[in-house]
Amino acid sequence: MTKSTRPRVAFFDFTCCEGCQLTVVDSLQTHPQLLDVVDIVEFREAISGKAKAYDIAFIEGSCSRVSDEGRLQDIRERAGIVVALGACAHLGGVNAIRNKQNLEEVRQYVYSAYADWFDVYEVRPISEVINVDAVVPGCPIDRDEFLTVVKELLQGRCPEPPDYPVCIECKLDENVCVFHRGEVCLGPITRAGCQAICPTYGSGCVGCRGLIPFPKIESLKQVLAEHGLGRRAIEAKISLYMTNQVQQLVREEKANGA
């Protein structure tokens, strides 16, 4: 396969820590053969080149400024396939915590006298601005899952993350439930696919892969309360990554008269 016939792949970043792109760089070090089947034409973390069009565009980071929308739309127009890379692009990520506070107060607190210089607004996942074809969940992404997604895209398939909870993976790994070890965990409502890495190493799931379909959030809140968490602590734990998703569920319930 010549360079000219390889799919053109590009990486972009918005509001994020760029940890997911660093995971991509790490995956290329351990799986250099990937470079034999794709042509990376734009990737600020690794190369200085630019490109006018891409077959696959991976986007890390949430949309948090008015100006982000135009840039996202430009990438969408140039790309055949767009993939949300990581929790910030997929869910809004940790950045979305500020959506629960007064935006003007947050801007004044962060930027002080320079607050008017920044066009920040409510944080949102990129799927609320442009059409997204696939996602690689997590914070950061899982290296092996990223490679699997790339392989499926190159085969013309649309990858889908698991629709079952992290608890299933814990059971398959024969882990002792962290609740039995005095910890708390969001595994019952969080989408699997990470091989239950946090519970496997003794820490409760923090929900970075987002909600499963039809999550039993109120039931989990009751369990968390039974394990000693107060209302504010429960809300803070669930809001770490899931602010946008939970707010959307609330809006849907109100719209349906629930």
Side-chain angles (χ1 to χ4, degrees):
M1 183 181 295
T2 65
K3 185 174 182 178
S4 62
T5 61
R6 283 181 279 168
R8 294 161 298 176
V9 176
F11 294 85
F12 302 93
D13 49 85
F14 287 78
T15 303
C16 62
C17 70
E18 302 186 17
C20 293
Q21 291 172 91
L22 291 175
T23 302
V24 171
V25 173
D26 183 49
S27 72
L28 293 175
Q29 293 184 79
T30 55
H31 295 77
Q33 63 271 24
L34 183 61
L35 297 174
D36 294 330
V37 293
V38 301
D39 182 16
I40 298 179
V41 295
E42 192 163 338
F43 191 179
R44 189 177 60 81
E45 290 277 359
I47 61 175
S48 57
K50 300 284 186 179
K52 294 183 179 180
Y54 347 96
D55 296 296
I56 306 173
F58 289 93
I59 300 177
E60 180 183 5
S62 57
C63 181
S64 64
R65 301 176 296 179
V66 175
S67 57
D68 287 344
E69 293 193 8
R71 184 170 168 236
L72 280 168
Q73 290 161 357
D74 181 63
I75 294 170
R76 177 69 268 186
E77 290 174 1
R78 295 168 182 262
I81 295 172
V82 169
V83 182
L85 190 69
C88 292
H90 175 211
L91 308 171
V94 174
N95 308 315
I97 294 175
R98 80 177 187 208
N99 292 352
K100 302 183 71 175
Q101 305 172 61
N102 180 279
L103 180 59
E104 188 56 36
E105 291 178 0
V106 171
R107 181 158 53 185
Q108 291 290 336
Y109 179 82
V110 174
Y111 301 113
S112 188
Y114 304 100
D116 293 339
W117 291 18
F118 301 92
D119 62 343
V120 296
Y121 69 175
E122 186 175 276
V123 173
R124 61 200 68 191
I126 64 171
S127 61
E128 292 190 13
V129 180
I130 60 172
N131 180 55
V132 171
D133 302 294
V135 301
V136 185
C139 182
I141 60 169
D142 179 78
R143 179 178 61 185
D144 293 332
E145 185 174 25
F146 167 74
L147 293 168
T148 297
V149 167
V150 172
K151 291 176 184 176
E152 291 185 1
L153 290 173
L154 294 179
Q155 293 168 356
R157 295 188 287 161
C158 183
E160 290 285 347
D163 61 359
Y164 50 83
V166 171
C167 293
I168 299 296
E169 292 180 331
C170 262
K171 292 290 186 180
L172 292 172
D173 290 341
E174 300 184 353
N175 291 336
V176 175
C177 181
V178 296
F179 282 103
H180 294 325
R181 300 204 299 261
E183 301 283 342
V184 293
C185 182
L186 299 185
I189 62 172
T190 300
R191 189 181 294 271
C194 58
Q195 308 307 313
I197 185 170
C198 291
T200 297
Y201 287 94
S203 179
C205 171
V206 294
C208 73
R209 293 179 61 85
L211 294 169
I212 57 172
F214 311 109
K216 304 297 184 183
I217 296 177
E218 293 305 316
S219 296
L220 179 61
K221 285 182 178 181
Q222 182 177 343
V223 173
L224 294 175
E226 291 171 355
H227 283 77
L229 267 65
R231 182 182 62 81
R232 293 187 64 181
I234 292 172
E235 293 297 334
K237 193 168 189 66
I238 294 176
S239 297
L240 183 59
Y241 287 99
M242 300 176 175
T243 296
N244 275 338
Q245 286 188 305
V246 172
Q247 289 180 334
Q248 180 61 32
L249 287 175
V250 171
R251 288 192 290 266
E252 291 174 358
E253 290 175 355
K254 289 183 178 178
N256 295 328

